[in-house]
Amino acid sequence: MEKEKLKALLDDMSLKEKADQMLQLMGAFYQEDKEGILTGPARDMGVGEEDIQLAGSILGTYGAGKLKKLQKEYMEKQPHHIPMLFMMDVIHGMKTVFPMPLAQGAAFDPELSEKCAAAAAKEAAVSGLHVTFSPMVDLVRDARWGRVMESTGEDPYLNSRLAQAQVKGFQGEDMGAPYKVCSCIKHFAAYGGAQAGRDYNTVELCEHTLRDFYLPSYKAGIDAGAGMVMTSFNTVNGIPASTNKWLMRDVLRKEMGFDGVLISDFSAILETVAHGHSKDEADAARKALEAGVDIDMMTSVYSANLCKLVEEGVVDEALIDEGVMRILELKNRLGLFENPYKDADEEEEKTVILCKEHRNLAREAAGKSFVLLKNEGILPAAPGKKTAFIGPYTDNKEIISSWAILGDVASCVTIKEAAEKVFDPGLTTFCSGSPVLSERELKGLVGFGPGKPVSVSEEEQEKLLQEAVEAAKEVELVIMPLGEHYLQSGEATSRGMIDLPEAQVRLLREVAKVNENIAVVLFTGRPLDLREVSRIARSVLVVWLPGTEGGAAAVDVLTGKVNPSGKLPMSFPYCTGQIPVHYNAYSTGRPDNVGEVRFRSKYIDIPNEPLYPFGYGLSYTKFEISPVKLSGGVVTDEKAVTASVTVKNTGERAGTEVVQLYLQDIAASVVRPVKELKGFVKAELEAGEEKEITFVIDEPMLRFLRADGTVGSEEGEFNLFIGNSSDTDNQAKFRYES
Ligand code: GLC
């Protein structure tokens, strides 16, 4: 529809109709039982029948047939027959589930993430959906926060590359094209900075840190064309994001140039009363509208107050018109005025969802996301060896994450199902050895509904343990699929102790007493304290929450069919007390790099370094990276310098090395991180093969937020590092002269 017609439509709408375009309800409000809804959740929420009929969008419902019926009935009653928007959390896959986002960060593969997002978009689109609340691009440094699983990690550059890739995968060049959906960047802003890793907690960041580390990935998603942004629950320096005019009007809209729809997180506008920023719901409505929030997710703050605020002259109707126009423009970009059903298609649902192509992609993506942290020669598992798979993830289909809310668990492939196809049945045994969680740990999962695991009696646990120990005695290799329960990560799952579940620690210890050849396969939504696991196991392979084909991908890697190439997108801390720990930290005035000296920035009981650093990951082969070669020693505004290394596969099998480029601005108007990732290349090499990898170092790469508040570069010395982990010391020096 042309812009003028949209404007004419807006001008013809009543104030109430406009206000309710800014209301988003759960799809459950549109089920048959109207009475039950009206006298139940709707009444509790303060939403009336008229609001339900006029709401501009819904979330949480999908299905081609259901949404086509809903749209038809809704549009017949909508005074201007304006189509409704259908939104959903399709975070890392819909029915076919891809590796969780932190695992996709470990793959260091934007093209791969783009393909995964495109496949997810296709399944979502044929199911009738128009918008996905993805990607979450919050930078994370605190593994106590359960939502690190939803992020791509601790680095602004990696997060930016993957944000851009996912938006392009979801939206393509035109979100109105077939099988594309609108992508919603979230959560603006800095939700990952919640103090102490406690969800929804306060975020206090100086503007320098906010801009240098936390904002770049949102900007990358917006520059990639994301049609929507979601506000975050947290305060940003004392003001809740959803009513933070500076953050939303000045930073998001003016500076970043975002002109799409800004939606609140679930009840986040109402929660500004609990935050102590809005004195009541009417005040919250005014502040959020003035901040430029266009859609109120699942409260009646807008629908119950905006009309009155306009009638009383408290808010300008023009602010409502601005927000509603953005909503109409989004519906228009999706082509809904011409075709309100877009790609909804019951027949295509049957052929697209969980199709072989998507499953193969899920398997490939999982295999590329795994990170080999340790391997003392017992992986890949040699065929013909007596092997026992022992652990609660041996035959467990719950490997798709708590945010894979539409994922089809039954369609997941377990390690056992995959192993039975390739391991000699006469030489291989399988047992769980323990429940995933103990009774005590189960108690923490309050309100987790149907997915919550059942408890296992003490006697049963003893029986499982004895069976496992017996199985371990008889074999040459014990593969132990262990890990967090999938409900222990995701929203509202902050943990004060990031340990492996206690029943599994006991299992590991008991098995180790009878067999030292242990390879741990770790399912987890977050970095864990792996000191004991690393001490006991001879191999440790992190498989995260790998998605629908996770078990098949795990066996591909365990058998060497796939050579692991993942690199950590987030540091694994030495212990919880070391958090926050991240590679791109500042030097301090007393760096702990002068030997055994007391008065330095360090702990007296643990090291400063994480157990495993950002960018780290092993392979089944060996790679040698040559010293850095520079094409010159000075970068100027006109002249770039190239930095090259030769990477050689000195092992016996093909493999992929993620070659990483880091810079350090040695002295600047504000202190700079000791290393900053500025580029990476995935080098696929046959055994014995070598390749030259070259990076271009130019002036834009050196820019940062300077002390005077402007963004730019400053003259001076730089260290440059090229290696296969953030702890590389393969370095060279250059100068920048303006
Ligand atoms: C949740 C999450 C957000 C999600 C929204 C809708 O509380 O914070 O990421 O998109 O509600 O489900």
Side-chain angles (χ1 to χ4, degrees):
M1 183 188 284
E2 297 77 33
K3 181 116 183 161
E4 309 70 59
K5 284 193 180 165
L6 278 183
K7 184 71 179 67
L9 172 59
L10 178 72
D11 293 343
D12 198 47
M13 291 166 75
S14 70
L15 180 58
K16 178 63 182 167
E17 200 184 342
K18 288 189 286 190
D20 277 344
Q21 276 294 307
M22 304 174 92
L23 165 64
Q24 178 173 84
L25 296 173
M26 295 295 292
F29 278 61
Y30 295 82
Q31 60 194 346
E32 299 308 322
D33 171 17
K34 287 261 180 307
E35 210 35 49
I37 290 295
L38 288 170
T39 56
R43 188 204 52 211
D44 298 346
M45 225 180 99
V47 161
E49 189 158 4
E50 185 189 24
D51 298 314
I52 293 174
Q53 188 40 56
L54 293 175
S57 64
I58 61 171
L59 80 155
T61 289
Y62 70 99
K66 185 188 288 187
L67 290 181
K68 283 163 75 173
K69 179 173 179 294
L70 200 162
Q71 187 74 293
K72 182 172 178 299
E73 290 168 2
Y74 169 86
M75 287 177 71
E76 280 165 359
K77 295 179 191 153
Q78 212 286 338
H80 287 87
H81 311 300
I82 297 170
M84 191 184 245
L85 274 173
F86 300 135
M87 307 191 193
M88 193 91 200
D89 293 287
V90 179
I91 308 294
H92 54 103
M94 189 166 159
K95 288 290 177 194
T96 309
V97 179
F98 300 99
M100 64 182 218
L102 193 61
Q104 293 192 34
F108 273 72
D109 197 331
E111 291 70 32
L112 182 64
S113 286
E114 183 175 341
K115 285 182 195 160
C116 292
K122 187 168 184 180
E123 292 195 4
V126 300
S127 304
L129 293 169
H130 305 140
V131 179
T132 178
F133 298 130
S134 184
M136 182 267 225
V137 301
D138 305 315
L139 180 129
V140 292
R141 292 174 164 173
D142 192 328
R144 292 170 294 183
W145 192 50
R147 298 194 77 163
V148 300
M149 55 75 58
E150 221 181 319
S151 167
T152 50
E154 69 187 46
D155 181 72
Y157 176 81
L158 179 62
N159 289 348
S160 298
R161 292 286 305 277
L162 291 171
Q164 184 185 38
Q166 292 178 83
V167 168
K168 296 197 36 80
F170 286 125
Q171 292 190 175
E173 295 309 316
D174 167 16
M175 66 171 76
Y179 309 131
K180 292 301 174 191
V181 295
C182 171
S183 168
C184 175
I185 294 291
K186 67 186 187 183
H187 306 78
F188 199 76
Y191 181 26
Q195 274 178 7
R198 205 169 77 232
D199 211 347
Y200 317 119
N201 203 2
T202 305
V203 171
E204 284 293 339
L205 295 167
C206 70
E207 188 170 336
H208 179 87
T209 299
L210 176 68
R211 288 180 178 279
D212 248 18
F213 290 98
Y214 287 83
L215 294 187
S217 51
Y218 303 108
K219 176 85 168 64
I222 289 160
D223 289 349
M228 187 176 285
V229 168
M230 183 185 291
T231 69
S232 60
F233 288 119
N234 52 284
T235 52
V236 178
N237 299 336
I239 300 177
S242 302
T243 45
N244 192 321
K245 214 169 158 183
W246 169 77
L247 189 64
M248 300 303 173
R249 292 277 184 193
D250 298 351
V251 177
L252 178 64
R253 295 222 186 259
K254 274 202 205 101
E255 277 183 42
M256 293 189 173
F258 178 65
D259 61 0
V261 171
L262 179 60
I263 188 169
S264 79
D265 202 340
F266 202 107
S267 76
I269 298 176
L270 175 61
E271 291 173 14
T272 61
V273 178
H275 272 292
H277 187 242
S278 302
K279 59 179 189 296
D280 55 27
E281 293 188 22
D283 192 36
R286 176 180 65 79
K287 285 177 176 164
L289 186 71
E290 287 173 354
V293 180
D294 302 320
I295 297 179
D296 173 11
M297 186 190 288
M298 263 308 277
T299 80
S300 60
V301 168
Y302 271 9
S303 58
N305 292 286
L306 287 183
C307 296
K308 196 156 162 287
L309 288 167
V310 169
E311 283 143 16
E312 291 167 353
V314 175
V315 300
D316 183 343
E317 187 169 354
L319 287 178
I320 293 175
D321 291 350
E322 177 196 320
V324 174
M325 180 52 97
R326 284 192 285 258
I327 294 166
L328 296 178
E329 281 170 345
L330 176 58
K331 295 181 178 184
N332 203 32
R333 278 181 72 185
L334 286 159
L336 299 184
F337 287 104
E338 289 72 33
N339 173 11
Y341 308 115
K342 198 167 182 303
D343 302 307
D345 185 319
E346 295 89 323
E347 285 316 304
E348 283 212 281
E349 275 182 314
K350 293 176 194 143
T351 56
V352 165
I353 286 176
L354 281 164
C355 63
K356 194 75 192 112
E357 181 197 345
H358 290 178
R359 293 189 81 120
N360 290 342
L361 178 61
R363 184 168 179 169
E364 176 198 353
K368 289 180 174 175
S369 74
F370 298 165
V371 183
L372 185 63
L373 296 180
K374 178 180 179 185
N375 189 26
E376 289 171 354
I378 59 171
L379 288 182
K385 273 193 168 183
K386 289 189 78 174
T387 304
F389 286 82
I390 299 175
Y393 272 101
T394 296
D395 196 21
N396 186 334
K397 286 183 177 285
E398 291 183 327
I399 53 178
I400 59 174
S401 108
S402 60
W403 266 116
I405 50 180
L406 305 182
D408 181 16
V409 172
S411 66
C412 289
V413 177
T414 70
I415 283 185
K416 180 169 185 269
E417 287 167 344
E420 282 173 336
K421 291 179 183 162
V422 294
F423 279 77
D424 180 331
L427 297 172
T428 312
T429 57
F430 302 89
C431 65
S432 64
S434 84
V436 177
L437 299 179
S438 68
E439 200 60 34
R440 182 188 66 78
E441 290 155 337
L442 272 173
K443 287 195 175 65
L445 298 181
V446 287
F448 275 75
K452 186 172 164 182
V454 292
S455 60
V456 174
S457 69
E458 288 300 322
E459 310 80 307
E460 178 59 18
Q461 288 195 41
E462 279 314 306
K463 188 166 157 295
L464 291 173
L465 184 62
Q466 287 322 310
E467 180 195 11
V469 170
E470 286 312 306
K473 281 177 185 165
E474 312 300 318
V475 299
E476 298 161 271
L477 172 63
V478 182
I479 294 176
M480 297 191 75
L482 307 173
E484 265 192 330
H485 191 272
Y486 79 97
L487 288 176
Q488 287 187 293
S489 61
E491 186 169 353
T493 60
S494 299
R495 294 180 63 193
M497 297 180 288
I498 51 171
D499 304 317
L500 190 68
E502 55 201 10
Q504 298 179 48
V505 171
R506 184 168 171 236
L507 172 65
L508 177 62
R509 287 173 184 160
E510 292 306 313
V511 166
K513 287 177 186 168
V514 299
N515 195 321
E516 63 181 11
N517 292 324
I518 294 172
V520 166
V521 179
L522 187 73
F523 291 77
T524 184
R526 69 176 88 213
L528 295 176
D529 174 347
L530 294 182
R531 281 174 292 159
E532 183 163 10
V533 169
S534 298
R535 194 170 56 245
I536 291 175
R538 294 185 60 194
S539 290
V540 180
L541 176 71
V542 178
V543 298
W544 311 104
L545 290 168
T548 303
E549 290 287 337
V555 170
D556 288 344
V557 170
L558 288 168
T559 57
K561 183 180 171 195
V562 169
N563 187 352
S565 58
K567 299 286 184 179
L568 292 181
M570 187 177 180
S571 308
F572 271 54
Y574 183 84
C575 62
T576 309
Q578 197 183 59
I579 292 173
V581 59
H582 48 94
Y583 86 92
N584 43 10
Y586 300 136
S587 162
T588 78
R590 296 191 176 188
D592 184 30
N593 56 7
V594 290
E596 298 295 311
V597 173
R598 176 179 174 191
F599 298 98
R600 308 306 293 181
S601 177
K602 63 184 173 74
Y603 303 95
I604 60 170
D605 57 349
I606 63 169
N608 279 353
E609 294 70 31
L611 195 64
Y612 297 105
F614 174 87
Y616 172 85
L618 301 175
S619 168
Y620 291 149
T621 187
K622 291 269 178 251
F623 296 100
E624 264 173 23
I625 297 180
S626 73
V628 178
K629 278 199 307 292
L630 293 179
S631 63
V634 179
V635 172
T636 66
D637 295 351
E638 295 72 36
K639 195 160 115 357
V641 160
T642 60
S644 306
V645 293
T646 300
V647 187
K648 182 169 184 178
N649 180 346
T650 58
E652 307 297 315
R653 65 172 68 227
T656 299
E657 180 61 290
V658 181
V659 183
Q660 302 152 48
L661 167 71
Y662 296 91
L663 293 185
Q664 178 189 17
D665 188 341
I666 295 171
S669 58
V670 287
V671 295
R672 308 297 304 133
V674 293
K675 279 194 180 99
E676 290 181 87
L677 182 70
K678 293 291 184 182
F680 57 84
V681 170
K682 294 188 78 166
E684 294 180 18
L685 295 165
E686 293 302 323
E689 187 185 6
E690 65 181 44
K691 276 180 189 167
E692 181 170 82
I693 305 293
T694 298
F695 297 97
V696 176
I697 317 301
D698 58 13
E699 183 275 331
M701 194 184 267
L702 312 180
R703 295 175 188 169
F704 63 98
L705 180 65
R706 297 176 292 199
D708 65 4
T710 63
V711 174
S713 47
E714 291 177 358
E715 287 199 338
E717 299 288 326
F718 286 78
N719 286 327
L720 175 145
F721 304 82
I722 298 180
N724 62 2
S725 169
S726 62
D727 62 0
T728 180
D729 57 8
N730 188 26
Q731 68 181 47
K733 272 190 186 318
F734 68 90
R735 273 187 61 72
Y736 164 65
E737 290 171 5
S738 57

